[in-house]
Amino acid sequence: MILYHSEFITLCETGNLYDAADKLFISESNLMKHMRNLEDAVEHKIFQKCSNHVELTEYGTMYLSFAYRYKMLDKELIEKTKELDSRNLSVVKIAVSRSMNCDHIVNMLADHFADRYPDYSISPGEFSRTVNLHSTFEMGYELSFAIGSSPTDIYYNTYQWSKDRLVAILPIGHPLANEKRISLSQLSSDKFILFPEGSFLNYYCTSLCEKAGFKPMVDFTIHGTRNLVELVDAGLGVSLTTASDILTIKKHNVSMVEIDPTPIVYLNLYYRKDVPLSKPAKAFLDYAIDIHEHHNEDIPYQGPEGEVGNIYF
């Protein structure tokens, strides 16, 4: 019947039997047979004329509008079927944030996951800080390691992997560089160097400053933590970032000062609430949670500077 709907539309659009049969690569007699079968199926005469010139009956005109809808539904069905097939393939697509050792976490998990599930493979995508969580899912990733200000999210399912804190990054010669703890309001007159607008850390740092009673004067935005540290070292401003990202840089000539109250940053494993995970993605999620909860002390990782240390569980 779906085939006949499409043929019926083609016949109506071409306006004659010969051109329609030619376009459909079938004989005129077969096309006429299909149209008779269609009339039998709808139990009404839909053609007034069907030869060199096509004329529809009142029922035919009504049926044509529904035929277009059937065609659209058929197209949607095909697309949804392909989408489901894609979700059930063997590849697990994981988005990876460039913060809190995400890349090392995923690399470690991927190696051991491959041993346990040799038929599945991991396809990680490492994104800049300007790519937000929603965008990663729009790009087809089923799981996303990303940072946030809470271990939960109203839009996504989350599994809290680890947590860190924001610290103030100051030049060595800054008046507050030797303090153990400072409040953000003490930096209200300083120029700031932040990660780019649109990133979580830019939004979070700005929000914290505004909550402390001032809007930060942002002179520079920068993508990489190492570049950020270099600008702070050069005396071009102060910054806020996660402690773990600073600690991965072996050599830096800046001061890391705790903030009071401590701003917590969570590393979460996110997945959508409205779309079920594929079998490979669900297997990876269950595996990652099992590793996190039962084997976190057994699995070291090769750290960013080549040293072996415990991963941030």
Side-chain angles (χ1 to χ4, degrees):
M1 285 292 292
I2 292 174
L3 173 63
Y4 296 163
H5 295 153
S6 181
E7 291 180 354
F8 174 64
I9 290 171
T10 301
L11 180 56
C12 293
E13 288 179 344
T14 57
N16 68 81
L17 191 64
Y18 175 80
D19 288 341
D22 185 62
K23 190 171 184 179
L24 293 166
F25 301 102
I26 60 175
S27 66
E28 294 176 46
S29 60
N30 275 339
L31 181 55
M32 276 299 300
K33 181 180 178 181
H34 293 169
M35 293 303 100
R36 291 193 192 99
N37 290 340
L38 187 59
E39 284 187 325
D40 292 339
V42 301
E43 300 180 343
H44 284 91
K45 185 176 177 63
I46 58 177
F47 292 101
Q48 195 70 44
K49 291 182 180 180
C50 187
S51 55
N52 293 334
H53 177 66
V54 173
E55 286 184 17
L56 299 178
T57 64
E58 185 179 8
Y59 287 103
T61 302
M62 179 188 69
Y63 189 80
L64 179 61
S65 64
F66 281 91
Y68 279 113
R69 297 186 200 178
Y70 293 146
K71 188 175 182 179
M72 289 179 62
L73 285 172
D74 181 50
K75 182 181 179 182
E76 185 179 350
L77 175 61
I78 292 172
E79 290 173 351
K80 291 294 183 182
T81 301
K82 289 180 179 178
E83 183 179 316
L84 184 59
D85 289 341
S86 177
R87 286 208 308 269
N88 287 302
L89 291 176
S90 61
V91 177
V92 183
K93 296 190 68 178
I94 306 174
V96 184
S97 170
R98 290 183 180 175
S99 192
M100 292 176 65
N101 287 314
C102 273
D103 53 344
H104 299 290
I105 291 171
V106 173
N107 287 339
M108 179 277 296
L109 289 172
D111 289 342
H112 292 274
F113 181 73
D115 293 337
R116 188 179 296 186
Y117 296 96
D119 293 334
Y120 295 156
S121 61
I122 304 295
S123 176
E126 187 175 351
F127 293 97
S128 70
R129 292 178 172 87
T130 55
V131 177
N132 61 42
L133 185 61
H134 177 73
S135 297
T136 63
F137 291 114
E138 287 294 308
M139 287 185 278
Y141 288 88
E142 292 190 82
L143 299 164
S144 183
F145 270 107
I147 57 176
S149 58
S150 170
T152 60
D153 191 280
I154 61 173
Y155 300 108
Y156 301 101
N157 293 311
T158 61
Y159 178 79
Q160 181 188 332
W161 194 266
S162 63
K163 63 181 179 180
D164 197 356
R165 66 201 186 280
L166 284 187
V167 292
I169 309 303
L170 311 177
I172 294 295
H174 193 281
L176 300 173
N178 295 320
E179 297 291 327
K180 289 185 176 180
R181 300 186 72 86
I182 62 173
S183 65
L184 278 179
S185 60
Q186 292 177 265
L187 300 176
S188 59
S189 60
D190 284 275
K191 294 179 180 179
F192 276 76
I193 302 164
L194 297 180
F195 291 108
E197 288 187 19
S199 66
F200 162 74
L201 283 176
N202 183 291
Y203 166 78
Y204 191 35
C205 293
T206 301
S207 299
L208 289 169
C209 290
E210 291 175 348
K211 190 175 180 180
F214 70 98
K215 185 174 182 179
M217 298 181 290
V218 182
D219 258 20
F220 295 95
T221 58
I222 197 76
H223 281 273
T225 305
R226 191 176 297 277
N227 292 335
L228 181 147
V229 168
E230 289 174 353
L231 292 179
V232 173
D233 181 25
L236 298 179
V238 302
S239 189
L240 308 174
T241 192
T242 53
S244 58
D245 284 345
I246 295 298
L247 293 173
T248 59
I249 303 174
K250 276 294 187 73
K251 297 178 181 179
H252 58 74
N253 194 34
V254 295
S255 178
M256 190 173 77
V257 182
E258 301 292 337
I259 299 169
D260 190 20
T262 303
I264 301 299
V265 179
Y266 296 88
L267 174 61
N268 298 320
L269 182 54
Y270 295 87
Y271 54 104
R272 293 175 64 167
K273 292 181 177 180
D274 58 331
V275 177
L277 291 173
S278 66
K279 290 180 181 179
K282 182 64 167 61
F284 180 86
L285 176 65
D286 292 342
Y287 154 80
I289 292 173
D290 177 62
I291 290 293
H292 186 273
E293 294 183 353
H294 301 108
H295 306 286
N296 55 22
E297 295 181 357
D298 301 330
I299 302 176
Y301 79 111
Q302 196 70 15
E305 300 295 338
E307 290 189 349
V308 173
N310 288 329
I311 202 162
Y312 286 88
F313 285 103

